[in-house]
Amino acid sequence: MTKTKVEHCPFCGKESYYHQTKSMTLRYKSHPITVEQPGYWCNECGEGVIGGEDRKATQKELQGLRAQIDGLLSPDDIKLIREKLKLTQQKASDLFGGGVNAFSRYERGETPIPRAASQLLQLLGAHPNLLTELSKSSIKTNPNKANKGKMAATG
């Protein structure tokens, strides 16, 4: 448990409120997971506050548990398959949808991958040759992708 500057606890008022890491057991759909959660914790009353940066420290681990329980790819598996397919995050977002930063958010555990995208990525991971078909289909249904969104003059 790493402690930094002591402060007064906003809950009990005691001078025993530190930024430290604490083991916490959380539950998702009745499945427990124990994480080492940084935050401001009071040694007197046990209350704490988890800020944005502290939350980010465990979000990937928590998203991994949710993915496992919900039958989705974990953040690490998403990245592994994307790299196996030699896709950049941008190209993966173009093919699977979800917006420009979608795969960055999936791989950091900030956002769960949609079930359809997870299943398609799993299929492509097992059968990478199908990526060619998906790429062709993407260009046919969205011709602007072939010329990077620029209008083409026709005669």
Side-chain angles (χ1 to χ4, degrees):
M1 194 183 298
T2 311
K3 295 181 185 178
T4 58
K5 180 182 158 201
V6 67
E7 295 183 23
H8 288 277
C9 175
F11 302 100
C12 71
K14 303 275 174 124
E15 192 174 340
S16 130
Y17 190 65
Y18 300 90
H19 190 269
Q20 54 190 317
T21 300
K22 177 179 173 180
S23 286
M24 288 183 66
T25 300
L26 305 169
R27 295 190 175 284
Y28 177 70
K29 295 184 178 177
S30 77
H31 296 271
I33 184 172
T34 301
V35 296
E36 295 300 314
Q37 180 64 64
Y40 282 90
W41 301 101
C42 179
N43 290 342
E44 290 293 322
C45 69
E47 292 293 333
V49 174
I50 301 169
E53 287 303 311
D54 293 328
R55 184 186 55 79
K56 285 180 182 179
T58 55
Q59 70 186 12
K60 188 175 179 182
E61 191 176 358
L62 295 173
Q63 184 55 39
L65 172 72
R66 288 190 293 265
Q68 179 184 359
I69 292 166
D70 293 340
L72 301 172
L73 289 171
S74 72
D76 289 336
D77 290 337
I78 294 166
K79 183 175 182 176
L80 187 74
I81 294 171
R82 179 186 58 77
E83 288 177 343
K84 175 184 174 183
L85 296 171
K86 296 180 175 46
L87 294 173
T88 64
Q89 290 178 335
Q90 179 64 52
K91 180 65 175 165
S93 291
D94 289 346
L95 287 171
F96 294 91
V100 245
N101 297 317
F103 273 77
S104 176
R105 290 190 309 272
Y106 303 154
E107 292 173 12
R108 287 192 314 262
E110 290 179 9
T111 306
I113 189 169
R115 180 168 303 284
S118 178
Q119 290 172 333
L120 184 55
L121 202 53
Q122 284 177 308
L123 181 66
L124 290 172
H127 305 281
N129 56 311
L130 295 176
L131 182 60
T132 307
E133 292 301 315
L134 181 62
S135 295
K136 286 180 196 174
S137 171
S138 176
I139 290 172
K140 284 180 188 172
T141 58
N142 191 353
N144 284 340
K145 295 241 185 225
N147 60 14
K148 299 187 181 358
K150 297 178 183 162
M151 295 298 290
T154 56

